[in-house]
Every structure is written in structure tokens, then in C-alpha cells.
Amino acid sequence: MSNIEQTLSIIKPDAVERNLENEIKEMFKNKNFKIVKEKKIQIEKSEAENFYKVHETKPFYNDLCSYLSSGPILVMILEKENAVLDNRELMGATNPKDANDGTIRKKYGISIDKNSVHGSDSIENAKIEIDFFFKD
Ligand code: UDP
Ligand code: MG
């Protein structure tokens, strides 16, 4: 029985700026994620505000949207069995200080805001987020 899923991953500005794209992509490939589509873009703040709408009441919302639109990002569709949860596990906790060894955020995250990667948190949100960046 196969349970192939897709999820949206973003390598955030702090990691692109430090040229960590290839290292992070290797971590995905080593865990059997297939990178189905990818594109490097810079988004407008208004687009970041739409993308992170779920957080609009949070105190960190404005800074978060400024940050995500502050430089180039690499947006990817990742595919494997249980992709959504497995990506969340590989990313590690939101705050790199709390992230487990072997996770992307433990290895590369700088702080809770500059935590190097985004990943969808549910199958439903993965579909919405993939459409957000890749629907033509
Ligand atoms: N974030 C922040 N301060 C906080 C909590 C979150 O700057 O106190 C940022 C952080 O970059 C995080 C993003 O907001 O990745 C989205 O928050 P969420 O709780 O969805 O964390 P994630 O799903 O990225 O682990
Ligand atoms: Mg989230």
C-alpha cells in the first residue's frame, strides 16, 4: 500500500543568503524525498502576507512577512511516502534551539525567525501552499 504525498518546502532567505541550498537539498534527497518542482524567486511582502495569512493575528506576523520577502527563496514540491510529516520531522522544531540533532533547523537555523526552512503542516495545507506557488 503506498501513501505518496506532496508537500511544500521553502528554503528561506537566511539559508539562500548563506548558499545552503545544495546542502539542504542533499538532506532531502538522503531521506528519499524527490524534488518534483523547484524555483528560486523573490516575493513581494503582500504575497508573504497572503502565504502566512493563518498567522495574521500573531505578534510576529509583520516581521515574518518582511523577512520572507527580504531576499531570494527556493520553493520546492517534495514527494515521498508520508511527505508532510516526514518533512516536518526532518526540518525540526520551529525554534532551532529546540530542534533535534540531524534536523535541518538544528544544523542551519540561526534563530526562531531565521530558521532556514518552511514546510507544510498538513496534507490540506500542502495542497493550498503548492497551488499558491505552482498553480499557473
Ligand atoms: N516565527 C517567529 N516567531 C515566533 C514563532 C514563529 O518568527 O515566535 C516564525 C518562524 O519563522 C516560523 C514561522 O513564523 O517558521 C511560522 O510559524 P509556525 O508556528 O507556523 O512555525 P513552523 O511551521 O515554520 O515550524
Ligand atoms: Mg507553520
Side-chain angles (χ1 to χ4, degrees), residues 90-135:
L90 179 57
M91 287 164 59
T94 305
N95 190 339
K97 283 186 196 144
D98 302 327
N100 291 329
D101 286 346
T103 64
I104 296 169
R105 284 168 164 172
K106 173 76 175 194
K107 202 164 178 197
Y108 298 120
I110 296 169
S111 58
I112 192 165
D113 46 327
K114 296 187 172 178
N115 58 10
S116 303
V117 281
H118 167 84
S120 310
D121 63 4
S122 66
I123 293 176
E124 189 192 357
N125 284 334
K127 292 194 174 100
I128 294 168
E129 293 180 355
I130 286 169
D131 270 3
F132 184 91
F133 283 108
F134 291 99
K135 199 168 186 170

Side-chain angles (χ1 to χ4, degrees), residues 53-65:
K53 193 124 191 100
V54 58
H55 291 305
E56 72 182 328
T57 61
K58 309 274 173 62
F60 57 83
Y61 179 64
N62 184 57
D63 287 347
L64 173 62
C65 296

Side-chain angles (χ1 to χ4, degrees), residues 44-88:
E44 299 290 336
K45 188 173 180 191
S46 58
E47 296 175 277
E49 286 166 352
N50 285 336
F51 181 73
Y52 274 129
K53 193 124 191 100
V54 58
H55 291 305
E56 72 182 328
T57 61
K58 309 274 173 62
F60 57 83
Y61 179 64
N62 184 57
D63 287 347
L64 173 62
C65 296
S66 295
Y67 166 64
L68 194 70
S69 57
S70 67
I73 57 176
L74 186 73
V75 188
M76 292 169 287
I77 300 176
L78 303 181
E79 184 177 280
K80 75 183 287 292
E81 284 193 5
N82 300 309
V84 173
L85 278 178
D86 286 1
N87 180 42
R88 294 295 304 191

